[in-house]
Amino acid sequence: MKIAIMGAGLSGLACALTLEKYGCQADVFEKRGLAGDRFIYAEAMFSMFHHPIDDAVSYLSVEHGIHLKPSSTIQKTEIWTENERSSLNGHLGYVNMRGKHPAAYEKQLADQLQGKIRFHQDVSHTEISKEYTHTVLATGDSLDTEKIQPYKTALTVRFIGAIVAGEFDITTVHTFFNNLFAPKGMAYLLPHSVHEASLILVYPQYPENEVLDKDELWENCLVECRKRLNQNLALISMFELENYRIGTTETPRIGNTFFVGNCFGSIMPFLGFGQLESILTGIYAAQAIAGKGNYEDLVRPLYKSYHDSLSLRRGIEKLDNKQLDFLAASIRNPLMEKLLLSKRVDGLKIASRLIHPFQKRS
Ligand SMILES: Cc1cc2nc3c(=O)[nH]c(=O)nc-3n(C[C@H](O)[C@H](O)[C@H](O)COP(=O)(O)OP(=O)(O)OC[C@H]3O[C@@H](n4cnc5c(N)ncnc54)[C@H](O)[C@@H]3O)c2cc1C
């Protein structure tokens, strides 16, 4: 068996690490000069969307021997709409770093790997599959998937983000649902430390959004965030990404080619998050290659979550600011909060079902 992994990101490295656990070595190809060789920013994992996994970090460590150290635990999520403010409290998940940051998750995974990563190798599936018996497509780019099989794109999004300076409580994250600056999207602020945070605006590139001035949306986002946090939030650095695709494959595996991470379609459409799902697809592909499971069966729950998440997204997208206010206010109802945070229920499924009555109200 000769295994190639294309991409040393979350899914590719999780796959390589799991293969090592089963005594299999893979050749990992990475087009960049090191794992996470790009701009620094923070990402989050929210437990309520990962049912039945309660604590993703300890689950990956205990069940799969993949050890990740987040930068903070989320104890509070502030939800801001145009006229309302609500919060969810409890052990809600984690914030972690990505990119060139020394504690970036991709760097943490690369450090756990015994085998070497072949850097500066921009490889193609066509050439790799000639040499290897098994190929894992982990390039983080669904355009690579589309060269092999259809990929159903639900939406493409634009990210505008910045590292901002201020005074932050590292256990509190802020989310903003406001069509005035995040049309059918959202903005969020994730602290890296008590002095630094990532502020990210993300919205779908629908035709009606593309006629809007993106710089103006970003300015309005910044104004709102500064006002709500009552801070100046000086910009340290900025990044912008467009045409980031959210969608899914028709099949997770073709012969001995395994699609993992974004190449599989592991971005959950509601918030556009997919870290845990990417890591899981990497683990599952390795298990299948090592003869420890069937990839199609292992990823089935992820397809299900994807569709629940898409349904939640489509519901939220229909809400105007008044309805978003109403939704935020309803979260202050203790019963609603309890339901959303219950470890016994699937928060994503519940939220995707609960959203529909809000669409009818105006
Ligand atoms: C701005 C932004 C914010 C996000 N925020 C969150 C969040 O808060 N929470 C969350 O859960 N998710 C978030 N996500 C999504 C998350 O980043 C992805 O789900 C995850 O990184 C996908 O993992 P992956 O392994 O598919 O790709 P990646 O981790 O991107 O890795 C792909 C790797 O493949 C390499 N590569 C590409 N092409 C080739 C090639 N031809 N040959 C060799 N190597 C190649 C790349 O250089 C890269 O290292 C965010 C995404 C973005 C862009």
Side-chain angles (χ1 to χ4, degrees):
M1 197 157 56
K2 223 177 146 204
I3 312 158
I5 298 176
M6 297 168 56
L10 298 189
S11 58
L13 290 169
C15 185
L17 279 166
T18 309
L19 284 167
E20 281 187 353
K21 191 174 105 185
Y22 293 123
C24 309
Q25 279 294 332
D27 289 341
V28 182
F29 298 93
E30 169 54 49
K31 74 172 179 186
R32 296 191 170 113
L34 49 99
D37 193 6
R38 64 175 196 167
F39 58 87
I40 292 175
Y41 66 102
E43 292 194 354
M45 278 185 188
F46 285 107
S47 307
M48 66 179 285
F49 298 123
H50 296 137
H51 182 80
I53 297 169
D54 174 25
D55 182 318
V57 170
S58 89
Y59 170 80
L60 289 172
S61 176
V62 173
E63 299 295 327
H64 298 290
I66 288 182
H67 312 292
L68 292 169
K69 198 168 182 302
S71 51
S72 61
T73 55
I74 305 171
Q75 301 293 343
K76 185 177 191 178
T77 299
E78 294 270 22
I79 301 157
W80 301 91
T81 57
E82 188 180 6
N83 300 300
E84 294 287 349
R85 170 191 189 171
S86 297
S87 64
L88 289 170
N89 297 279
H91 178 32
L92 304 176
Y94 296 99
V95 174
N96 62 276
M97 301 308 299
R98 297 294 309 265
K100 282 192 171 122
H101 193 278
Y105 266 2
E106 50 271 62
K107 182 168 184 330
Q108 293 188 31
L109 293 176
D111 287 348
Q112 289 165 56
L113 198 69
Q114 282 161 24
K116 281 203 169 74
I117 299 170
R118 299 174 187 208
F119 290 110
H120 300 295
Q121 302 283 322
D122 190 346
V123 289
S124 79
H125 179 258
T126 317
E127 60 191 62
I128 285 288
S129 56
K130 283 182 199 146
E131 245 193 87
Y132 289 84
T133 59
H134 294 74
T135 311
V136 179
L137 203 73
T139 61
D141 188 349
S142 58
L143 289 174
D144 292 322
T145 305
E146 264 188 340
K147 291 176 193 156
I148 307 169
Q149 65 154 316
Y151 180 90
K152 196 170 177 203
T153 304
L155 67 154
T156 62
V157 297
R158 170 177 284 118
F159 287 97
I160 307 178
I163 297 181
V164 294
E167 296 300 318
F168 306 106
D169 169 358
I170 57 162
T171 65
T172 300
V173 305
H174 296 264
T175 58
F176 302 84
F177 293 89
N178 186 332
N179 288 303
L180 295 175
F181 58 85
K184 298 184 167 59
M186 70 182 296
Y188 53 99
L189 182 130
L190 305 175
H192 308 177
S193 68
V194 288
H195 299 303
E196 233 174 64
S198 287
L199 172 62
I200 299 177
L201 168 65
V202 53
Y203 61 89
Q205 293 178 271
Y206 298 144
E208 65 274 25
N209 285 351
E210 286 300 81
V211 296
L212 303 172
D213 181 339
K214 65 182 172 60
D215 298 326
E216 203 175 307
L217 293 175
W218 169 252
E219 268 314 309
N220 291 340
C221 171
L222 208 49
V223 167
E224 175 76 2
C225 197
R226 282 174 172 151
K227 188 173 92 187
R228 298 299 192 186
L229 273 73
N230 195 22
Q231 297 195 45
N232 177 38
L233 302 180
L235 299 186
I236 297 174
S237 62
M238 279 199 71
F239 70 85
E240 214 176 303
L241 275 182
E242 57 181 12
N243 300 321
Y244 190 78
R245 300 206 301 170
I246 299 179
T248 195
T249 47
E250 290 214 329
T251 169
R253 166 187 185 171
I254 297 178
N256 279 344
T257 295
F258 295 78
F259 300 86
V260 300
N262 289 359
C263 293
F264 160 84
S266 47
I267 299 281
M268 293 295 129
F270 171 46
L271 297 179
F273 290 180
Q275 291 195 105
L276 178 62
E277 294 75 7
S278 292
I279 294 171
L280 290 175
T281 51
I283 293 170
Y284 296 158
Q287 289 177 335
I289 292 169
K292 307 285 180 199
N294 176 302
Y295 192 48
E296 287 85 345
D297 291 343
L298 289 164
V299 297
R300 198 159 290 129
L302 297 180
Y303 277 125
K304 173 89 187 48
S305 301
Y306 172 89
H307 289 292
D308 283 339
S309 183
L310 183 57
S311 157
L312 178 57
R313 155 146 230 129
R314 295 297 187 220
I316 298 264
E317 280 180 351
K318 291 199 180 91
L319 304 185
D320 60 24
N321 272 6
K322 216 167 133 202
Q323 291 165 316
L324 287 169
D325 280 341
F326 185 80
L327 182 61
S330 74
I331 291 172
R332 289 199 297 271
N333 179 326
L335 271 178
M336 179 75 124
E337 186 178 10
K338 206 169 158 201
L339 187 64
L340 287 174
L341 297 181
S342 167
K343 292 186 181 15
R344 283 198 293 275
V345 299
D346 183 343
L348 183 59
K349 198 164 147 192
I350 296 281
S352 68
R353 305 291 184 273
L354 284 177
I355 194 67
H356 297 292
F358 290 94
Q359 288 169 240
K360 293 189 192 116
R361 287 172 194 269
S362 51

mmCIF file of all heavy atoms in Angstrom, residues 113-129:
data_model
loop_
_atom_site.group_PDB
_atom_site.id
_atom_site.type_symbol
_atom_site.label_atom_id
_atom_site.label_comp_id
_atom_site.label_asym_id
_atom_site.label_seq_id
_atom_site.Cartn_x
_atom_site.Cartn_y
_atom_site.Cartn_z
ATOM 1 N N LEU A 113 3.261 14.741 14.174
ATOM 2 C CA LEU A 113 3.527 13.761 13.121
ATOM 3 C C LEU A 113 4.980 13.290 13.175
ATOM 4 O O LEU A 113 5.891 14.098 13.332
ATOM 5 C CB LEU A 113 3.245 14.437 11.770
ATOM 6 C CG LEU A 113 3.040 13.527 10.565
ATOM 7 C CD1 LEU A 113 1.734 12.754 10.707
ATOM 8 C CD2 LEU A 113 3.002 14.365 9.279
ATOM 9 N N GLN A 114 5.171 11.966 13.085
ATOM 10 C CA GLN A 114 6.550 11.459 13.069
ATOM 11 C C GLN A 114 7.164 11.562 11.678
ATOM 12 O O GLN A 114 8.327 11.892 11.522
ATOM 13 C CB GLN A 114 6.569 10.007 13.543
ATOM 14 C CG GLN A 114 6.449 9.917 15.059
ATOM 15 C CD GLN A 114 6.012 8.552 15.513
ATOM 16 O OE1 GLN A 114 6.204 7.567 14.810
ATOM 17 N NE2 GLN A 114 5.411 8.486 16.695
ATOM 18 N N GLY A 115 6.378 11.257 10.661
ATOM 19 C CA GLY A 115 6.877 11.321 9.277
ATOM 20 C C GLY A 115 7.117 12.775 8.862
ATOM 21 O O GLY A 115 6.643 13.701 9.513
ATOM 22 N N LYS A 116 7.849 12.910 7.772
ATOM 23 C CA LYS A 116 8.165 14.267 7.278
ATOM 24 C C LYS A 116 7.101 14.732 6.295
ATOM 25 O O LYS A 116 6.553 13.933 5.536
ATOM 26 C CB LYS A 116 9.521 14.236 6.550
ATOM 27 C CG LYS A 116 10.701 14.250 7.489
ATOM 28 C CD LYS A 116 11.940 14.796 6.735
ATOM 29 C CE LYS A 116 13.077 15.077 7.677
ATOM 30 N NZ LYS A 116 13.734 13.865 8.172
ATOM 31 N N ILE A 117 6.864 16.036 6.295
ATOM 32 C CA ILE A 117 5.956 16.614 5.296
ATOM 33 C C ILE A 117 6.824 17.114 4.144
ATOM 34 O O ILE A 117 7.878 17.708 4.376
ATOM 35 C CB ILE A 117 5.155 17.791 5.910
ATOM 36 C CG1 ILE A 117 4.316 17.290 7.090
ATOM 37 C CG2 ILE A 117 4.269 18.460 4.853
ATOM 38 C CD1 ILE A 117 3.674 18.390 7.927
ATOM 39 N N ARG A 118 6.423 16.835 2.900
ATOM 40 C CA ARG A 118 7.185 17.327 1.743
ATOM 41 C C ARG A 118 6.639 18.692 1.353
ATOM 42 O O ARG A 118 5.581 18.784 0.725
ATOM 43 C CB ARG A 118 7.036 16.344 0.582
ATOM 44 C CG ARG A 118 7.568 14.974 0.943
ATOM 45 C CD ARG A 118 7.263 13.992 -0.162
ATOM 46 N NE ARG A 118 7.636 12.656 0.274
ATOM 47 C CZ ARG A 118 8.012 11.688 -0.520
ATOM 48 N NH1 ARG A 118 8.065 11.886 -1.830
ATOM 49 N NH2 ARG A 118 8.316 10.500 -0.047
ATOM 50 N N PHE A 119 7.354 19.715 1.768
ATOM 51 C CA PHE A 119 6.888 21.088 1.519
ATOM 52 C C PHE A 119 7.221 21.539 0.093
ATOM 53 O O PHE A 119 8.017 20.911 -0.598
ATOM 54 C CB PHE A 119 7.503 22.034 2.544
ATOM 55 C CG PHE A 119 6.943 21.818 3.937
ATOM 56 C CD1 PHE A 119 7.724 21.267 4.954
ATOM 57 C CD2 PHE A 119 5.618 22.137 4.218
ATOM 58 C CE1 PHE A 119 7.189 21.053 6.223
ATOM 59 C CE2 PHE A 119 5.086 21.926 5.487
ATOM 60 C CZ PHE A 119 5.880 21.386 6.488
ATOM 61 N N HIS A 120 6.595 22.630 -0.302
ATOM 62 C CA HIS A 120 6.780 23.212 -1.647
ATOM 63 C C HIS A 120 6.441 22.201 -2.746
ATOM 64 O O HIS A 120 7.100 22.153 -3.767
ATOM 65 C CB HIS A 120 8.220 23.734 -1.824
ATOM 66 C CG HIS A 120 8.579 24.792 -0.833
ATOM 67 N ND1 HIS A 120 7.959 26.020 -0.797
ATOM 68 C CD2 HIS A 120 9.492 24.801 0.166
ATOM 69 C CE1 HIS A 120 8.458 26.745 0.183
ATOM 70 N NE2 HIS A 120 9.389 26.031 0.798
ATOM 71 N N GLN A 121 5.449 21.364 -2.489
ATOM 72 C CA GLN A 121 5.032 20.364 -3.479
ATOM 73 C C GLN A 121 3.584 20.623 -3.860
ATOM 74 O O GLN A 121 2.664 20.189 -3.158
ATOM 75 C CB GLN A 121 5.148 18.944 -2.890
ATOM 76 C CG GLN A 121 6.529 18.558 -2.413
ATOM 77 C CD GLN A 121 7.433 18.217 -3.585
ATOM 78 O OE1 GLN A 121 7.000 17.606 -4.559
ATOM 79 N NE2 GLN A 121 8.686 18.637 -3.491
ATOM 80 N N ASP A 122 3.392 21.363 -4.936
ATOM 81 C CA ASP A 122 2.039 21.656 -5.420
ATOM 82 C C ASP A 122 1.640 20.523 -6.364
ATOM 83 O O ASP A 122 1.919 20.583 -7.560
ATOM 84 C CB ASP A 122 2.058 23.015 -6.142
ATOM 85 C CG ASP A 122 0.667 23.502 -6.464
ATOM 86 O OD1 ASP A 122 -0.277 22.707 -6.378
ATOM 87 O OD2 ASP A 122 0.527 24.693 -6.813
ATOM 88 N N VAL A 123 1.005 19.490 -5.798
ATOM 89 C CA VAL A 123 0.789 18.267 -6.595
ATOM 90 C C VAL A 123 -0.627 18.203 -7.170
ATOM 91 O O VAL A 123 -1.538 18.857 -6.659
ATOM 92 C CB VAL A 123 1.053 17.012 -5.728
ATOM 93 C CG1 VAL A 123 2.533 16.860 -5.441
ATOM 94 C CG2 VAL A 123 0.275 17.062 -4.432
ATOM 95 N N SER A 124 -0.788 17.400 -8.223
ATOM 96 C CA SER A 124 -2.133 17.211 -8.788
ATOM 97 C C SER A 124 -2.544 15.754 -8.611
ATOM 98 O O SER A 124 -1.693 14.855 -8.562
ATOM 99 C CB SER A 124 -2.147 17.590 -10.265
ATOM 100 O OG SER A 124 -1.608 16.532 -11.027
ATOM 101 N N HIS A 125 -3.843 15.565 -8.523
ATOM 102 C CA HIS A 125 -4.360 14.207 -8.328
ATOM 103 C C HIS A 125 -3.959 13.305 -9.486
ATOM 104 O O HIS A 125 -3.609 12.143 -9.296
ATOM 105 C CB HIS A 125 -5.885 14.243 -8.166
ATOM 106 C CG HIS A 125 -6.484 12.892 -7.996
ATOM 107 N ND1 HIS A 125 -7.120 12.226 -9.012
ATOM 108 C CD2 HIS A 125 -6.503 12.050 -6.936
ATOM 109 C CE1 HIS A 125 -7.526 11.044 -8.581
ATOM 110 N NE2 HIS A 125 -7.170 10.912 -7.327
ATOM 111 N N THR A 126 -3.970 13.851 -10.706
ATOM 112 C CA THR A 126 -3.640 13.044 -11.883
ATOM 113 C C THR A 126 -2.235 12.456 -11.754
ATOM 114 O O THR A 126 -2.048 11.250 -11.951
ATOM 115 C CB THR A 126 -3.723 13.919 -13.163
ATOM 116 O OG1 THR A 126 -4.891 14.710 -13.068
ATOM 117 C CG2 THR A 126 -3.740 13.104 -14.420
ATOM 118 N N GLU A 127 -1.282 13.287 -11.381
ATOM 119 C CA GLU A 127 0.090 12.748 -11.301
ATOM 120 C C GLU A 127 0.274 11.839 -10.084
ATOM 121 O O GLU A 127 0.897 10.777 -10.178
ATOM 122 C CB GLU A 127 1.136 13.881 -11.310
ATOM 123 C CG GLU A 127 1.011 14.860 -10.170
ATOM 124 C CD GLU A 127 1.868 16.118 -10.324
ATOM 125 O OE1 GLU A 127 1.643 16.863 -11.296
ATOM 126 O OE2 GLU A 127 2.715 16.335 -9.453
ATOM 127 N N ILE A 128 -0.308 12.232 -8.958
ATOM 128 C CA ILE A 128 -0.149 11.457 -7.715
ATOM 129 C C ILE A 128 -0.770 10.068 -7.842
ATOM 130 O O ILE A 128 -0.202 9.061 -7.424
ATOM 131 C CB ILE A 128 -0.808 12.231 -6.534
ATOM 132 C CG1 ILE A 128 0.066 13.407 -6.114
ATOM 133 C CG2 ILE A 128 -1.097 11.340 -5.349
ATOM 134 C CD1 ILE A 128 1.338 13.045 -5.393
ATOM 135 N N SER A 129 -1.963 10.008 -8.448
ATOM 136 C CA SER A 129 -2.662 8.718 -8.487
ATOM 137 C C SER A 129 -1.959 7.698 -9.397
ATOM 138 O O SER A 129 -2.241 6.506 -9.330
ATOM 139 C CB SER A 129 -4.125 8.909 -8.894
ATOM 140 O OG SER A 129 -4.171 9.575 -10.122
#
